[in-house]
Amino acid sequence: MDIESRIRSRIESILVNDERNHAELKAMACQDEPFDDDPFEEERNLYQRIINSYRSAVNEVNGLLEENVGFLSGFYRIIEGIKSRRDFQEICSVIVDCVLSDFGAEYCSIILYESRPSGQARFCLEGVQEDRKFVYCHSSESLLGNADFEAEVAKLVADSPRILNIPDVYREPRFNTIDFPGVVRSLTSLPITGNGAVLGALLLSHSLPRYFNDNHIRVLRILAGMIAHLRMLAFNPGEAPAAPPPGDPAVMQEDVVSVVVLQFEAADTGTRAAAFGPEFLGAARSGLAAGTGPGESLLVYDEESLLLLLPGTGAEALPARVRHLREIYQAWRAGQSVGFQSIRMNVGYSTCDKGEGLSKTLEIAALAMRPDLDD
């Protein structure tokens, strides 16, 4: 029912109720002695109820207008952010960042279940918005560090390739065995389809139940279609523009530090880098040093990852820097022994603006990339 029909229905209901009440009062007056009454009280009440009905409808329309303007602003940010990018991971990073900022989601992921044309592993990019945003790109078969969650989502997409809006995951029996983090309560899954096939899924969640409404779904359906189209256009790394060199003054910002966590695991078994001994991290650190500039630090972190600190690198320049690190790692890995050639690199990154400390960012990174640390 549209807004006009709802207003008409409300007013008709008010008039019918008022006529019924007036008839009852006349019947009572015929049976009993007349009683003192304000001759215009009924009219005033009737007009006030009609005014309140209009006011409620106008507020509802204004709320929808404000929400839609916010969605349009989000789409504008996405278009502006991706129009000069040709690398698919960079594009997805911009999309996830805008979804978290403008569409109200607290978690967003883009998953491609098919293999990439280059033969690389499955693609997954996740973003979490709590105290700040953190983006994690990997090929592990898990979501939010939970393999059961990823398996259930994959089953949902395979069994029912349509939009699924789950108001409350805790009321769904299929999720009874999954220990969700705080950002997952409402859950929406939209298939990413191309050439008649399901390529992957766009997944959003929020910590409140029944958060995503029909208006969200209409907008997200457009976004999922746009991702499918961009995926077909952007899978040619050779055409991607060069990333700005480390320390480029044109992209440097004051009082900003970006954090990149590089996590390594065997592509076939998922074994973490710690199993390969400290010599692997040392060699990978030396190979990746070519992607750092003056004032930037590449450190061993938690004995099986590398931590890259990028002072002056803001959120807009960060996806291109991450792509550059991936390219350096792939070139370095190609020249290593057979054992090291099977180790893939997952990347998580975030930006600390003015007044924000590193400790919270690293805490969020640990929850997203190493949930087993809580066990």
Side-chain angles (χ1 to χ4, degrees), residues 286-331:
S286 298
L288 288 165
T292 62
E296 299 177 349
S297 301
L298 184 61
L299 312 169
V300 176
Y301 176 60
D302 70 18
E303 299 182 354
E304 58 182 64
S305 305
L306 295 177
L307 175 65
L308 178 60
L309 301 178
L310 304 173
T313 300
E316 293 184 0
L318 189 53
R321 287 295 307 273
V322 170
R323 169 172 58 83
H324 185 51
L325 288 170
R326 290 195 344 259
E327 294 170 351
I328 292 175
Y329 178 74
Q330 291 167 4

Side-chain angles (χ1 to χ4, degrees), residues 75 99 103 105 107-113 153-154 156-158 160-166 186-194 197-205 212-228:
F75 269 113
V99 168
F103 294 173
Y107 169 76
C108 176
S109 63
I110 298 173
I111 316 158
L112 293 183
Y113 293 115
V153 169
L156 287 175
V157 174
S160 180
R162 58 184 179 84
I163 296 173
L164 294 174
N165 188 18
I166 300 173
S186 303
L187 182 66
T188 297
S189 172
L190 299 97
I192 298 173
T193 58
V198 177
L199 308 177
L202 171 65
L203 201 67
L204 289 88
S205 73
F212 300 106
N213 54 39
D214 291 341
N215 211 22
H216 285 97
I217 299 302
R218 284 191 291 269
V219 173
L220 295 173
R221 184 185 288 114
I222 299 171
L223 185 59
M226 187 168 69
I227 292 172

Side-chain angles (χ1 to χ4, degrees), residues 63-323:
L64 289 173
L65 178 61
E66 184 176 348
E67 186 175 58
N68 286 325
V69 168
F71 289 153
L72 287 174
S73 298
F75 269 113
Y76 174 77
R77 285 190 58 212
I78 290 174
I79 298 301
E80 285 295 304
I82 68 176
K83 66 182 182 182
S84 61
R85 304 178 192 268
R86 296 182 183 177
D87 179 77
F88 188 66
Q89 180 174 316
E90 285 187 65
I91 291 171
C92 289
S93 177
V94 172
I95 291 174
V96 168
D97 180 86
C98 291
V99 168
L100 296 176
S101 298
D102 301 317
F103 294 173
E106 294 180 345
Y107 169 76
C108 176
S109 63
I110 298 173
I111 316 158
L112 293 183
Y113 293 115
E114 63 163 5
S115 298
R116 297 178 65 171
S118 60
Q120 297 179 13
R122 139 194 205 284
F123 174 88
C124 181
L125 191 141
E126 301 180 86
V128 178
Q129 171 73 64
E130 291 189 277
D131 291 336
R132 66 194 64 169
K133 287 191 288 287
F134 182 80
V135 178
Y136 177 33
C137 184
H138 61 92
S139 51
S140 304
E141 294 188 357
S142 65
L143 292 175
L144 288 170
N146 192 319
D148 293 335
F149 181 28
E150 196 279 339
E152 197 60 49
V153 169
K155 188 185 303 181
L156 287 175
V157 174
D159 293 345
S160 180
R162 58 184 179 84
I163 296 173
L164 294 174
N165 188 18
I166 300 173
D168 192 342
V169 296
Y170 294 112
R171 295 181 179 272
E172 289 289 325
R174 63 168 67 96
F175 295 132
N176 284 346
T177 61
I178 299 176
D179 183 18
F180 286 109
V183 292
V184 182
R185 186 74 183 271
S186 303
L187 182 66
T188 297
S189 172
L190 299 97
I192 298 173
T193 58
N195 296 325
V198 177
L199 308 177
L202 171 65
L203 201 67
L204 289 88
S205 73
H206 195 277
S207 59
L208 296 176
R210 297 176 294 277
Y211 181 80
F212 300 106
N213 54 39
D214 291 341
N215 211 22
H216 285 97
I217 299 302
R218 284 191 291 269
V219 173
L220 295 173
R221 184 185 288 114
I222 299 171
L223 185 59
M226 187 168 69
I227 292 172
H229 184 66
L230 290 169
R231 173 229 164 253
M232 291 186 287
L233 297 178
F235 267 141
N236 192 347
E239 294 183 358
D248 185 357
V251 297
M252 299 295 286
Q253 301 180 26
E254 295 183 1
D255 298 328
V256 172
V257 176
S258 286
V259 179
V260 181
V261 180
L262 308 173
Q263 183 188 75
F264 304 90
E265 61 183 13
D268 50 351
T269 64
T271 304
R272 296 290 171 82
F276 306 105
E279 62 273 11
F280 170 77
L281 278 184
R285 181 186 178 191
S286 298
L288 288 165
T292 62
E296 299 177 349
S297 301
L298 184 61
L299 312 169
V300 176
Y301 176 60
D302 70 18
E303 299 182 354
E304 58 182 64
S305 305
L306 295 177
L307 175 65
L308 178 60
L309 301 178
L310 304 173
T313 300
E316 293 184 0
L318 189 53
R321 287 295 307 273
V322 170
R323 169 172 58 83

Side-chain angles (χ1 to χ4, degrees), residues 38-50:
D38 183 351
F40 299 106
E41 181 179 3
E42 294 181 14
E43 286 78 1
R44 278 197 294 268
N45 289 339
L46 173 62
Y47 297 151
Q48 186 61 48
R49 288 157 62 192
I50 293 175

